[in-house]
Amino acid sequence: MRLPRQVRGRARDRTMQDRLVWQAASLLLAYPDGGFADRLDTVEELLGHLDGPAAALLGRTVAALRSLEPMAAEMDYVETFDMRRRNTMYLTYWTAGDTRNRGREMLTFATAYRAAGVEPPRSEAPDHLPVVLEFAATVDPEAGRRLLAEHRIPIDVLRGALADAGSPYEHTVAAVCATLPAATDQDVRRAERLAKAGPPTEAVGLQPFTLTVPPKRTKGA
């Protein structure tokens, strides 16, 4: 069944708005290197074409990052995303952990990128949230939305962790969540369990533990 023109127009408008959110979020969640100030300028330009809650959320992150000196922004980013396991932006870490399944799950992202005609980035893992967001914004919004929606629970876990830490990046992740289908009660419970239990682990293939240091002798032994 062909959708009415008005409905198709609204869908296109929504997709464009979501792509602007994804692009802005990708820029805000990137490491604050030498191009940090220019990226903030670009985000503010994008916000001029956005409205609604997502624009307000992204604007809160921009304002917070604007208030930081470059060195402070770098230190805050490293402390937030590199020093706290719960704040990881590698989406498959939460679904597969450090197990052999993680490579297979990351291949899903790389395969989607190649199917859309682009190669996965060499400088970053394909499941890194800013990479996925940029792909969704600039290459293939349908495939990108699907990847984001399929990993909604890890994104929710990240948002909750950032909120607990009082990080301004939480507002950006919340804006991304607003572009995805609403989380079900089951999704919320799974995210809560995952945040509490941590990622999966496996011991398959590990050598049994052996004591290499001789035990201390007791008297009379």
Side-chain angles (χ1 to χ4, degrees):
M1 182 180 68
R2 188 175 179 81
L3 294 174
R5 182 179 302 175
Q6 185 177 8
V7 174
R8 295 200 305 273
R10 286 199 299 267
R12 284 195 298 270
D13 290 344
R14 180 201 167 198
T15 297
M16 180 54 67
Q17 288 282 299
D18 290 347
R19 293 177 74 172
L20 293 173
V21 171
W22 296 333
Q23 181 65 84
S26 176
L27 295 171
L28 291 173
L29 294 174
Y31 179 77
D33 56 14
F36 177 56
D38 289 339
R39 288 202 299 273
L40 291 181
D41 290 341
T42 300
V43 171
E44 289 189 326
E45 290 181 17
L46 295 173
L47 293 183
H49 301 281
L50 282 170
D51 52 29
L57 288 167
L58 293 167
R60 293 177 67 179
T61 302
V62 172
L65 296 181
R66 284 280 192 203
S67 69
L68 298 176
E69 294 293 329
M71 183 62 71
E74 293 179 25
M75 292 176 62
D76 178 70
Y77 187 95
V78 170
E79 181 180 355
T80 299
F81 295 112
D82 296 343
M83 307 300 290
R84 300 175 183 176
R85 187 185 67 167
R86 287 188 63 207
N87 296 0
T88 181
M89 288 194 284
Y90 295 101
L91 300 180
T92 63
Y93 178 75
W94 283 109
T95 56
D98 289 322
T99 71
R100 65 190 67 187
N101 291 331
R102 189 175 176 199
R104 184 165 58 245
E105 292 195 13
M106 282 199 290
L107 182 60
T108 300
F109 289 85
T111 300
Y113 299 160
R114 291 192 176 101
V118 297
E119 285 296 313
R122 295 183 179 181
S123 59
E124 188 54 90
D127 65 329
H128 196 232
L129 181 56
V131 172
V132 185
L133 289 168
E134 184 169 357
F135 170 76
T138 64
V139 180
D140 190 330
E142 291 186 9
R145 187 190 299 279
R146 184 173 63 252
L147 289 172
L148 291 168
E150 289 173 351
H151 294 81
R152 169 65 188 260
I153 291 174
I155 296 173
D156 277 335
V157 172
L158 171 62
R159 187 202 58 74
L162 293 173
D164 291 343
S167 171
Y169 291 107
E170 184 266 336
H171 308 304
T172 291
V173 179
V176 173
C177 290
T179 67
L180 304 177
T184 64
D185 290 342
Q186 183 180 11
D187 289 339
V188 172
R189 289 193 295 270
R190 287 181 62 193
E192 290 173 347
R193 289 196 300 268
L194 192 58
K196 183 177 181 179
T201 59
E202 70 179 359
V204 177
L206 297 179
Q207 295 297 319
F209 176 80
T210 56
L211 184 65
T212 57
V213 178
K216 183 179 180 180
R217 290 180 175 274
T218 58
K219 291 182 178 180

